[in-house]
Amino acid sequence: MERQRGGCLLNGCVTLLVLALALVGYGWWRLETAPGRVEARAEDDVTRAAASTRTQLSAAAAGGTLFETELDRVFRKGPDSGWAEERDGGHVTVTALLTGSTGVWMGTVTAHGCYEFTVTPAAAPPPVRERRVADERCERLPSRPVREPADVARDLAAELRATSNGMAGDSARWTILTSTPGVRLQDRAYEGSGAAQVTVALVWMDGGSGPQGRDCYEFRVRAPRTATFKSLKPDGCHRIQRERDARAEAARRDQLDEVAARIRRALAGAVAGDGRLTDAETRRVFALRQEDAVTSRQVLANLTHTDRSADGSLITLTARVNGLRSTPWYEGCYAFRVDLRAGSVTARTTAKTCPVPGS
């Protein structure tokens, strides 16, 4: 019985040794073959990139025309990049260097493949012929010339005209202007409403003679299938923001005038009582709190200076009028002129800011 027990132990040790050797051998095989598997995954990524490119080209050419701006978006490349096009009648052939990659613990492994795509634009998603060609083809690709902004704008306007109406068309328009390389959307706005609504976009285009080598263009899109463009001076790209700022400033001024009018009425009411305006009454007026104020500091205005004439009949009160609680950063300097003899109170703006007492 002792010999059998010892034999079982020995058999168990042999089994464990065999398993250990098998695991070591498997691990060694995995290490030896790892580069090939990683490269294969990177090559698979190149194949997937080719399939995705084929699908995008088919969708881009579905309108019956394949614009260069559409090619720019498909290949996401600029001048001197890894793709080139040839146009022969109605056929467009694009040769492009596609890249695939896969992550490994020591970094990233990349693979490349040279592909040729041939597409004939049609009024429906057309088939795209795709084939892999010798890598040397992509080593001799000609440099892509820099296009004039006016030519790019012409392509973009044609694309904008082809977009559908409604929310889907609006989304497609912004995608066209925000995803085309060399084109940067500066601002946008809507004019009118309903069927007469016009979409206005201000964009910068590379390759121009303006600041930082960019030109400003305005696009105006109105359904159905109406899109125009024109070149603007560089400051034209800030027109919508200037109009927005002007409206905000007008609203700010109206709000401050409303608060100043309330203070003026309160001062006039104090004067109407006995024809006088004491310091206590003045403090009480300027201690008026904003509606729905949650702290005592939320007053309508902060009195900064008081000036009385020699006979005391004219009093000028300078105050920093505060905005309403919804926009507390609004403030303006107002002078309230109290004429005790005439029993009148007027208000006018003075400097842009009032000094804080004690500053």
Side-chain angles (χ1 to χ4, degrees), residues 123-141:
V128 177
R129 185 164 59 85
E130 160 211 334
R131 68 188 182 100
R132 189 160 183 168
V133 297
D135 290 347
E136 289 75 12
R137 286 275 302 276
C138 285
E139 293 176 359
R140 300 191 300 269
L141 293 177

Side-chain angles (χ1 to χ4, degrees), residues 41 82 113 117 205 208 213 239 252 262 265 333:
R41 289 200 297 270
F117 301 91
M205 293 194 183
R239 175 179 59 80
R252 183 188 79 87
R262 181 180 173 187
R265 290 192 296 270
C333 192

Side-chain angles (χ1 to χ4, degrees), residues 255-316:
Q255 185 186 102
L256 292 177
D257 286 346
E258 178 184 344
V259 176
R262 181 180 173 187
I263 296 172
R264 182 180 57 78
R265 290 192 296 270
L267 290 171
V271 172
D274 55 6
R276 298 185 306 153
L277 183 63
T278 65
D279 290 341
E281 289 174 322
T282 300
R283 288 193 297 270
R284 188 159 51 247
V285 168
F286 283 97
L288 290 173
R289 298 173 62 192
Q290 297 177 11
E291 295 179 3
D292 300 325
V294 294
T295 69
S296 59
R297 295 168 57 186
Q298 291 178 252
V299 294
L300 294 179
N302 298 98
L303 184 63
T304 61
H305 185 70
T306 300
D307 183 34
R308 294 178 180 269
S309 63
D311 61 359
S313 61
L314 293 176
I315 307 171
T316 301

Side-chain angles (χ1 to χ4, degrees), residues 91 205 241:
H91 303 285
M205 293 194 183
Q241 185 59 50

